Amino acid sequence: SSSGRDLEFFLKIFPKLNYISTDVNDEILDFQKEKYSYPNFKYFKCYAEDIDECINHFKISDKNIILFSSGSLQYVNQFFLEEFFSKIKNYKNLNLFISEPVSLIFIDNNKLISDYRGNTSFSHRYDEYAKNSNLSIIENQVIRPYSADDKVHGQTGHFELQVSN
């Protein structure tokens, strides 16, 4: 969850909820622990494919779980993304919100489920992973916020997905 600002944003709207920040980097989690000392913030180091370890660690499998990824799942390769989806399908009270950058060339090509984007990031068809895991798709869209003439961002879109069990 990088800087943790997104969790703080949600905390201001929903102050009675409990929040768990996950990251793969100890330095990021240490930074968050220093910056955010809210009693309902917890921290856990894990990779996406180990999400079940986090859920089990905090004993929340029977709770309502909301997972969100904003710009993080793009760094997970296809194998581990499949594992992530196969694990979250086991929690019947789970909602997942995804907002991730995606190559529009990849989306328009419509041939692969995942493709390397460069600099350790990938474009994924998150809806296909959800379908393959028998998750219910609530919302699914690709947003094209930039002009195709934009030389830097013109081929970058945002994949928005909400799924539940």
Side-chain angles (χ1 to χ4, degrees):
S1 58
S2 296
S3 71
R5 294 291 306 253
D6 44 3
L7 290 178
E8 187 178 48
F9 170 82
F10 285 115
L11 175 73
K12 290 180 181 189
I13 299 170
F14 306 105
K16 294 181 181 180
L17 295 181
N18 292 310
Y19 297 86
I20 302 169
S21 173
T22 63
D23 204 286
V24 300
N25 189 309
D26 284 320
E27 289 81 13
I28 295 293
L29 292 172
D30 290 343
F31 168 82
Q32 289 181 20
K33 289 174 188 176
E34 188 176 310
K35 184 159 180 64
Y36 307 110
S37 59
Y38 303 111
N40 51 342
F41 268 33
K42 304 289 184 233
Y43 305 91
F44 193 79
K45 181 180 179 179
C46 78
Y47 294 89
E49 67 272 16
D50 297 326
I51 192 63
D52 56 330
E53 292 177 18
C54 178
I55 291 170
N56 292 335
H57 176 81
F58 290 103
K59 298 176 176 64
I60 59 172
S61 63
D62 61 338
K63 306 286 185 196
N64 290 322
I65 300 171
I66 300 170
L67 296 176
F68 71 90
S69 177
S70 178
S72 296
L73 285 176
Q74 68 175 318
Y75 299 111
V76 178
N77 71 38
Q78 181 176 356
F79 175 80
F80 292 121
L81 194 61
E82 285 175 6
E83 196 170 336
F84 170 77
F85 274 92
S86 75
K87 288 182 177 179
I88 65 169
K89 74 178 180 183
N90 296 319
Y91 300 98
K92 299 301 177 206
N93 51 351
L94 184 138
N95 281 277
L96 170 65
F97 296 85
I98 294 174
S99 177
E100 296 287 333
V102 66
S103 163
L104 294 174
I105 295 169
F106 164 79
I107 292 297
D108 294 340
N109 189 354
N110 201 22
K111 292 183 182 176
L112 301 172
I113 191 169
S114 290
D115 196 26
Y116 178 67
R117 237 178 68 216
N119 295 331
T120 71
S121 67
F122 298 85
S123 287
H124 300 292
R125 293 185 193 286
Y126 299 98
D127 55 334
E128 293 300 322
Y129 287 96
K131 288 176 194 171
N132 292 342
S133 294
N134 295 317
L135 294 164
S136 298
I137 296 175
I138 309 299
E139 184 176 348
N140 178 24
Q141 65 179 326
V142 174
I143 299 170
R144 298 171 183 259
Y146 307 106
S147 164
D149 298 334
D150 184 325
K151 293 189 187 326
V152 176
H153 300 101
Q155 291 303 316
T156 301
H158 295 279
F159 203 113
E160 307 286 330
L161 180 71
Q162 178 189 358
V163 299
S164 68
N165 284 345

